[in-house]
Amino acid sequence: MKNKRKIELLAPARNADIAIAAIDHGADAVYMGASHHGARSQAGNSLDNIKRVVDYAHRFNVRVYITLNTLVYNSELEEVKSLVWNLYHAGVDALIVQDMSLLEMDLPPIALHASTQCDIRTPEKARFLQDAGFSQLVLARELTLDEIRAIRKETTVPLEAFVHGALCVSYSGNCQASYLLTGRSANRGECAQMCRLPYNLIDGNGNIIMKGAHLLSLKDMNRIDSLSEMIEAGIDSFKIEGRLKDIEYIKTVVAAYRTELDRIIEAHPDRLERSSAGKSEFSFTPSLKESFNRGYTEYFLKQRRPQVSMATFETPKSIGAAVGTVTRCDSKTLTVKSKETFHNGDGFSYKAADGTMQGFRINRAEGNRLLLNSPLNIPAGTTLYRNQNNAYSAILKQRTAVRKIPVEMILRLSDNDTIALDIAITELRNCTATASLKLEQIEKSNKPQEETRKRTLGKLGDTPYSLEDYNDTVGDIFIPLSLLSTLKRDAVTALDRARKAAYRFEYRRKSENPTFYRGSLLYNDNVANKLSRAFYSKAGVKEIEESLETSGHCNTRRRVMKTRYCLRRELGKCLKTPQGKTLAGPLSLKGANFVLDLEFDCNKCEMSIYSSGIRK
């Protein structure tokens, strides 16, 4: 029988509690930061908390990945090596890394995943990293389905792709704007989010075309309707972005994607299966429109040159979902034409006359009549968005999911005076256990006992198991409930041991002595230490420029971003159209104390952003 493809839903976690919530809501794997060298410096976790997550996750065959995806300096190499050994002993399944120094260190055989910071956009790059020993590749967010297919043809390791959450405007790993302009390196986990700032757009004649607009702030990714196509293109792991997000966001998004992936897997049982065990039952209906979002986009998944909006110029904050149209506003009362149900304390946003998004909370809701906390003047006809649904949030503050592993039980007589309970996990092969007890005396019952015994054995409480199938061959023999409870406890304890013994780690792949496909590396290839340099030298690279973070060459004009997002296309002023001639170049973005120059490569349909690197 041909092996089925394992499909993984990968969820982010800021801390251990959120990781456990993600697992309960159906994640097949979680990724979180260690105490240092994760790309979100504010999302670090102690070894004790990581071990707590590992112990919980492995109950369900859920994997735990740790992000060590920042640049490593020479002075930190030993510290990082020590951390990796500690993570290995804690039972972590894999590390998500950017810096190639880890391939040169004396490390335990822990699996390594190539981070999205490695900027994997081509089959050549993907094949190189696979041959270098990476067990899983996180592809660039910008790839189309056709580009994913091309990479799939050249690789055999699992491919991972983002499906939901915030988007970086630059190719990941290729953004130096934060470091050059603020001294905070995105490649060191300290991104200052330059793409979320307001800018003035200046044309080639020095005119201000747009003022105070968030011209580089992209909408959030949402690909829940394209999961089947992504599976067919070759994606195995579906990654949710958001290691800084709160627990309510994680619950909603994980539950929504779990539901959709289960539907797809169940429709193809002959070739697809989940990569973890257990079933999650939700006490709520997940709604992505109620979670934090800046508006949604599929980004470039379907088209290399999509003619749809990808940015939200008005605000970098959560807009929410459109819920209706204002029909009347009289200072402290707002009347809305809507089919939605509103609640006391709900939060809303709307587009003001100056083009900015403004937000407010209501005091009380009386049907479609909203009583305001402070006076507002919103014109009739204005679209109203809700970015805080208080009733939905109240539900998510409770326990909203239970995850259980289905088991089957067989109660039988093993000989004349001994009863045995066989218990097996239906989803995991060869994961069975047996417990037995001697009966002091054999008594027959005058009443049927099977349902009573099933009810007693099926009460599995705080264990990770739930009874799915039960077979009782004992007959009319009376068994005291206390003995059944003891038998059940012993069988569950034995099954726990069997499940732990059956857990299989995926160790690091062997390097196949890869040869790099280019002869030189530039500053944006992020070589920051001697081991990374040695790795690339062995791969045949002749010229290696240091990273900006280690070279100190920051006060010269540099490309600080490269992106498929094109501001001209977003504005309807593409240079390949007649409308493009109406916006004179070269274009620039004026920030609070710096200027970014824009250049457009129309053949590749890419935009580059340059800076002098002078910080004030």
Side-chain angles (χ1 to χ4, degrees), residues 342-381:
F342 300 114
H343 319 96
N344 297 345
D346 278 357
F348 299 88
S349 66
Y350 68 97
K351 190 172 183 177
D354 62 359
T356 62
M357 294 297 294
Q358 300 296 323
F360 65 93
R361 280 187 178 275
I362 62 170
N363 182 26
R364 192 167 72 253
E366 297 176 351
N368 285 5
R369 187 168 171 266
L370 310 179
L371 278 64
L372 307 175
N373 284 325
S374 56
L376 286 175
N377 183 18
I378 304 176

Side-chain angles (χ1 to χ4, degrees), residues 562-604:
K562 189 175 183 180
T563 173
R564 281 191 180 177
Y565 166 76
C566 177
L567 184 56
R568 279 187 170 274
R569 184 178 59 225
E570 187 75 16
L571 293 169
K573 306 292 184 181
C574 173
L575 287 170
K576 288 193 171 185
T577 67
Q579 291 80 8
K581 297 177 181 179
T582 65
L583 181 56
L587 303 181
S588 60
L589 302 179
K590 177 68 170 65
N593 55 4
F594 58 88
V595 175
L596 300 174
D597 300 323
L598 307 182
E599 290 188 5
F600 302 90
D601 185 335
C602 293
N603 291 326
K604 294 182 178 179

Side-chain angles (χ1 to χ4, degrees), residues 43 86 97 183 232 252 297 327 362 378 389 455 550:
N86 288 334
V97 305
E232 293 304 318
T252 291
T297 175
T327 58
I362 62 170
I378 304 176
N389 183 331
R455 189 163 53 249
T550 54

Side-chain angles (χ1 to χ4, degrees), residues 557-560 595-599 608-612:
R557 188 173 187 270
R558 297 275 190 171
R559 188 180 69 196
V560 296
V595 175
L596 300 174
D597 300 323
L598 307 182
E599 290 188 5
S608 292
I609 302 177
Y610 288 82
S611 169
S612 65

Side-chain angles (χ1 to χ4, degrees), residues 378-399:
I378 304 176
T382 300
T383 299
L384 195 66
Y385 302 84
R386 177 164 59 185
N387 52 21
Q388 176 64 39
N389 183 331
N390 260 9
Y392 188 78
S393 294
I395 293 171
L396 292 179
K397 284 180 170 58
Q398 312 301 315
R399 186 175 185 183

